[in-house]
Amino acid sequence: MTYQAQQAKMYKQEGTSFPGKTYAKVVLEPAFEEAKTHLLAPMMAINKAHLVMLKEQGLLSVDEARQIANALQKLDLEALRQSTYTGKYEDLFFQVESQLLELAGDLAGNLHIARSRNDMGICIYRMVLREELLATFASGMLLHEYLLQVAQEHIDTVMVGYTHTQQAQPTTLAHYVMAMADSLERDLRRLRSAYENCNRSPMGAAALTTSGFAISRVQMQELLGFDEMVENSYDAISGADYLGEAMVAVQLAAINLGRSVQDLLLWCTQEFGAVRVADPYVQISSIMPQKRNPVSLEHMRALLSSCVGTTNTVLSMMHNTPFGDIVDTEDDMQPYVWKSLAILDNMYRLLAAVMTTMQVNKEVLLARIKGSFATVTELADTLVRTDKLSFRTSHHLVSHVVQQALKQGLTADQVSLCMVNEAAQQVIKRDVLLTEAELAEALDPVHFVKIRTLPGGPSPTEMMRMIQSRKTRQELVQDWWQSATLRCQRALSQLDHTLSTWSENT
């Protein structure tokens, strides 16, 4: 087949006018499906706000504004949500515009005075993203609240703390869970920052350079519930860092959460025996009757990893794109943004449920730490105090004790003062001044934890102080979230009220 014949065949298959069959199938149709689900509501809000602004700036008469308002209110949004892509219109924007023209005549075309799909599209994306960020933030706050409750319940649950996956020092489950809570608090701070940089209005930038019409960009910002405006009109339609910032925040949050989920899975093993996931979150084996598989945690680990991958997709799609209006950062990218936030949102809520219902085997954890040599840091510290040794010398002496105990198959709580003195004779050429009582106390993991009262330490008193401090901060964060949520909701509700008032005055 000649090239010309192949070309003719392709035109016959694809059509000779926009959109080509394959282009419509693989690009426009999926974009339309996403748009009618996620973008229709903010699109309508922007239409209403722009109409109010045009009327108040004197660019539309009261009667003209009322006619367009009536058309906006008559749009069958549910029918739009149920519609399928036909190729008659390029996208949802033009389908909505066509219906408005049918309802209000050519006058509806004035709704597009001083605006472009460029600033309008970015505005829509920002409105969707801010809503998704607030929803995810709320689930993160819920998890944070439950983590503080778990920590308070386990202030006295003494356990081995690990470094390099090896037994290190005694700590408490509260200390570990509070570390999770503080990490989550930082994640929420990053999500809040992402929200604040996202919640800025690009409207009025139009295609690129604003407009010669005397519109009010500030009024558009206020009508749509934005906190600020992206002042530079080029930046308003070109900048995609608000997406990147959100994705980096989500990515770090997913990574941080995944590390703790991995620990919980280890703790669920019979060999570790620390925690038991509640029945609603485990599955049995089809062949092994004894199995209680903590699949909820496995799903979390996998989904959090997929969340990291999805955020990387967004960042990769942004990479090396021109700094201007470009489709790379628009319809094809946005679903990945929404998906990553949805995953994180779900994982916050699932982990909250799993952690607040799991059973902790306090007895096993305490027995393990009592026999562990993780306590001997305090023995070295005690010898510095009782015998005035340098810490390095004391460290060397205690290392000898540990080596001898391991050779004899002894646990830490079986170390005797005689063994300490044998090591002391080798290292400092004399017996230590340490007493039997002081030795027992130094090797007691509960004592170890109790005296770690420095800020951030695991002692019960310090843990209670930290929990109360976090609860206070949590209230302030809750207040911010509620204020931000209400600001957006009230702004959009006021738009509907304004247009309804116009209709009533007809």
Side-chain angles (χ1 to χ4, degrees), residues 139-276:
S139 295
M141 286 192 300
L142 179 70
L143 174 59
H144 190 263
E145 178 185 345
Y146 285 139
L147 288 177
L148 295 185
Q149 292 175 1
V150 172
Q152 192 162 344
E153 178 68 22
H154 291 286
I155 284 175
D156 297 314
T157 303
V158 181
M159 58 181 267
V160 178
Y162 293 81
T163 62
H164 303 279
T165 70
Q166 303 299 302
Q167 294 183 356
Q169 292 183 332
T171 186
T172 64
L173 184 56
H175 196 217
Y176 179 94
V177 173
M178 280 298 295
M180 286 181 65
D182 284 358
S183 175
L184 174 57
E185 192 174 9
R186 292 191 297 275
D187 290 329
L188 291 174
R189 197 178 304 149
R190 281 185 282 266
L191 288 171
R192 175 174 173 173
S193 177
Y195 171 87
E196 289 169 347
N197 279 323
C198 169
N199 197 36
R200 303 172 68 212
S201 173
M203 290 306 295
L208 182 67
T209 59
T210 72
S211 171
F213 288 98
I215 63 168
S216 173
R217 297 193 66 197
V218 172
Q219 188 179 16
M220 285 298 292
Q221 167 198 320
E222 294 171 349
L223 288 170
L224 292 169
F226 286 105
D227 295 322
E228 298 179 57
M229 175 175 61
V230 185
E231 187 174 33
N232 185 298
S233 62
Y234 197 108
D235 185 28
I237 61 94
S238 303
D241 54 292
Y242 74 97
L243 294 166
E245 181 178 11
M247 291 300 93
V248 169
V250 169
Q251 186 175 100
L252 277 172
I255 289 171
N256 288 338
L257 216 59
R259 297 178 71 194
S260 292
V261 168
Q262 174 65 15
D263 282 350
L264 290 171
L265 273 165
L266 175 65
W267 296 355
C268 285
T269 60
Q270 285 91 339
E271 289 78 7
F272 206 98
V275 299
R276 177 185 173 91

Side-chain angles (χ1 to χ4, degrees), residues 125-133 198 242-243 337 341:
Y125 297 144
R126 284 177 178 268
M127 291 176 71
V128 175
L129 179 55
R130 74 181 181 185
E131 185 175 338
E132 297 291 338
L133 283 166
C198 169
Y242 74 97
L243 294 166
V337 176
L341 279 157

Side-chain angles (χ1 to χ4, degrees), residues 77-92:
L77 301 185
E78 188 55 36
L80 283 167
R81 292 190 183 97
Q82 297 300 321
S83 63
T84 56
Y85 187 74
T86 64
K88 181 178 180 181
Y89 306 102
E90 178 184 336
D91 58 16
L92 184 64

Side-chain angles (χ1 to χ4, degrees), residues 344-360:
L344 183 61
D345 184 338
N346 290 334
M347 295 307 99
Y348 277 154
R349 288 185 286 110
L350 180 55
L351 185 58
V354 171
M355 287 200 67
T356 52
T357 56
M358 71 183 185
Q359 297 175 7
V360 178

Side-chain angles (χ1 to χ4, degrees), residues 382-394:
T382 300
L383 287 172
V384 170
R385 290 188 285 264
T386 60
D387 285 70
K388 309 304 179 185
L389 303 179
S390 74
F391 181 79
R392 188 51 57 208
T393 298
S394 178

